[in-house]
Amino acid sequence: MKKTILFDLDGTLLPMDQEKFIQSYFSRLARKMAGVIDPKQLVEVIWKGTAAMVTNDGQKTNEEVFWQVFDRETGLDHRDLEADFIDYYTVEFNEAVEACSPTPLAAEIVRILKEKGYSIILATNPIFPRIATENRIRWAGLNASDFEWITTFEVCHYGKPNPLYFQEIVERMQLNASECIMIGNDVKEDLPARTLGMEGWLITDCLLHGESQPVDCEFVGTLEQLKNKVLTLP
């Protein structure tokens, strides 16, 4: 019997145009930090830091790995810029909601599952700080308190699509993987959860699938179809 539901956020609970979101996010951050670091260099450093988090070997948190890259590449000390980054995520970052199409279905689906007794974990790729993730949760019409745990770069040591990312969740929350369902919109990033024995449910509203081969998972459908599916769960 399934007991725990893992949800991706971007493109799943929070429908979005990913390319538009990245552009909105980067352009605003670059303007914010323009007096400290060249905008082009900042974008390049963010991508390098993101790549380092995705390939993290687990020895450090994603946060530690990211700032290590940032400091090395820029010659700056990120601690001197902490207030600026916090201010950005508190204010300007929220304007990136323009790239999103929030739907009440997200809150309805989570509510139904919680009422049925399922534990809910937000398994979003932990390449953002918690403040940015909590903002996007609110954009989706949800609250951080809706989730048993939220994966962010402060607390995680791996990133999607590494199966060890999902293994870390299982171990941290003392779960049985066979009792879990991973729900996401990205074939490459979310379905590796199936290698641990989880079911993989794929949401197609903002589907990301760069390959031509058939998708192997237990459910494929829109958020509306997902709502109908969870209504039938025990």
Side-chain angles (χ1 to χ4, degrees), residues 82-197:
E82 184 175 4
D84 293 319
F85 278 107
I86 291 175
D87 187 62
Y88 166 74
Y89 283 117
T90 302
V91 183
E92 291 94 337
F93 178 75
N94 283 299
E95 297 172 11
V97 70
E98 66 182 3
C100 305
S101 303
T103 169
L105 284 170
E108 290 178 36
I109 291 167
V110 170
R111 175 185 56 78
I112 292 167
L113 288 167
K114 291 180 70 175
E115 288 178 352
K116 288 176 175 284
Y118 290 90
S119 295
I120 312 294
I121 292 173
L122 190 70
T124 181
N125 209 2
I127 57 176
F128 283 98
R130 186 175 178 97
I131 185 174
T133 302
E134 289 187 348
N135 283 341
R136 298 187 338 274
I137 290 170
R138 285 191 291 270
W139 300 352
L142 293 156
N143 297 300
S145 60
D146 289 319
F147 304 97
E148 297 284 332
W149 195 47
I150 299 169
T151 58
T152 64
F153 84 164
E154 292 95 340
V155 295
C156 291
H157 298 76
Y158 305 97
K160 299 178 185 179
N162 190 342
L164 290 175
Y165 161 75
F166 299 100
Q167 183 63 38
E168 184 171 24
I169 295 174
V170 168
E171 293 176 359
R172 170 81 175 243
M173 303 303 292
Q174 298 182 314
L175 305 174
N176 182 334
S178 66
E179 297 175 343
C180 299
I181 301 171
M182 175 66 211
I183 302 178
N185 70 304
D186 192 319
V187 173
K188 179 182 177 182
E189 292 197 349
D190 297 316
L191 294 189
R194 298 180 76 248
T195 65
L196 277 69

Side-chain angles (χ1 to χ4, degrees), residues 42-123:
L42 177 61
V43 172
E44 292 174 350
V45 169
I46 291 174
W47 280 123
K48 288 181 180 179
T50 300
M53 289 188 285
V54 170
T55 58
N56 192 356
D57 63 6
Q59 297 301 307
K60 300 178 180 179
T61 64
N62 287 347
E63 178 182 28
E64 292 171 320
V65 167
F66 177 83
W67 289 124
Q68 185 176 49
V69 171
F70 181 91
D71 290 355
R72 183 185 68 235
E73 295 292 324
T74 64
L76 300 170
D77 186 334
H78 70 275
R79 291 170 296 187
D80 296 334
L81 306 175
E82 184 175 4
D84 293 319
F85 278 107
I86 291 175
D87 187 62
Y88 166 74
Y89 283 117
T90 302
V91 183
E92 291 94 337
F93 178 75
N94 283 299
E95 297 172 11
V97 70
E98 66 182 3
C100 305
S101 303
T103 169
L105 284 170
E108 290 178 36
I109 291 167
V110 170
R111 175 185 56 78
I112 292 167
L113 288 167
K114 291 180 70 175
E115 288 178 352
K116 288 176 175 284
Y118 290 90
S119 295
I120 312 294
I121 292 173
L122 190 70

Side-chain angles (χ1 to χ4, degrees), residues 202-205 219-227:
L202 190 64
I203 305 305
T204 58
D205 300 75
F219 170 82
V220 178
T222 63
L223 277 175
E224 184 67 46
Q225 290 170 322
L226 176 63
K227 177 186 173 182

